[in-house]
Amino acid sequence: PPPPPEWLEGPVRSVLAALAGALGALGQAGADAENARLPAAIRAAGAALHATTALSGDGSAGPSRQRAAEALFRLLGSDACKKDEQVALHVGGALALYADTPPDAVWEPAAAGDLTDGDLAGKHDGAAFAGRAPHLSVPYRLVHMGKADAPPSRRNAAAVAFLPLLGRAREGAGSGR
């Protein structure tokens, strides 16, 4: 699809920044899935990340998208996630939306590049994945977060978060995407 008009980039950056801030605050506060604000913020972040795929790449919303995605990953293993395992399920759903790249989206070869164990081994932070296509980086990062050297709470949260991603992939495979 054609990129959205330039005037939309500023408001999009603001929304993504606000969502990243809200996720960080709610995660540190130890909110749980019973607190409607946390699941709502997680769902909003997933929807915003999915909707702004056209603004990524060279668009100025790219760094804002990265910060919002990083805020979702930070929730895995956070106090909120330790308090309620459903938080990881909500985060997985949001990350699945983020990773669900539209079939006509184009990623630069350098940005989409191969994610190899040699290049990214042991790297779970967002910096290692900046500029990578979400459909490549999200599953790779979740798998590596679940490795044995990760803290148990983070490892368990990554496994739970991976479930919606698998479901969305299965759904896409059934529809020929």
Side-chain angles (χ1 to χ4, degrees), residues 157-172:
V160 171
F162 205 79
L163 294 174
L165 191 71
L166 291 174
R168 190 134 178 121
R170 170 87 166 89
E171 182 181 283

Side-chain angles (χ1 to χ4, degrees), residues 15-169:
V15 166
L16 289 170
L19 285 169
L23 290 171
L26 289 167
Q28 287 178 349
D32 57 23
E34 295 299 317
N35 178 342
R37 292 182 300 163
L38 182 58
I42 292 169
R43 280 191 304 275
L49 287 167
H50 182 68
T52 57
T53 296
L55 292 175
S56 63
D58 291 338
S60 58
S64 299
R65 283 169 46 90
Q66 185 64 30
R67 282 191 294 278
E70 186 59 29
L72 287 170
F73 278 108
R74 275 196 306 274
L75 279 174
L76 298 175
S78 70
D79 290 343
C81 205
K82 290 175 189 171
K83 187 174 178 181
D84 188 345
E85 201 172 66
Q86 288 184 26
V87 170
L89 204 53
H90 288 292
V91 170
L95 290 173
L97 278 174
Y98 175 49
D100 188 15
T101 307
D104 54 352
V106 177
W107 294 92
E108 296 297 320
D114 292 334
L115 295 173
T116 65
D117 282 336
D119 293 337
L120 299 171
K123 297 180 183 175
H124 308 294
D125 64 324
F129 296 90
R132 303 276 182 177
H135 65 278
L136 296 174
S137 64
V138 169
Y140 188 90
R141 189 165 176 192
L142 285 174
V143 166
H144 280 275
M145 285 175 70
K147 287 197 169 183
D149 61 343
S153 60
R154 198 158 175 89
R155 192 172 53 236
N156 292 343
V160 171
F162 205 79
L163 294 174
L165 191 71
L166 291 174
R168 190 134 178 121

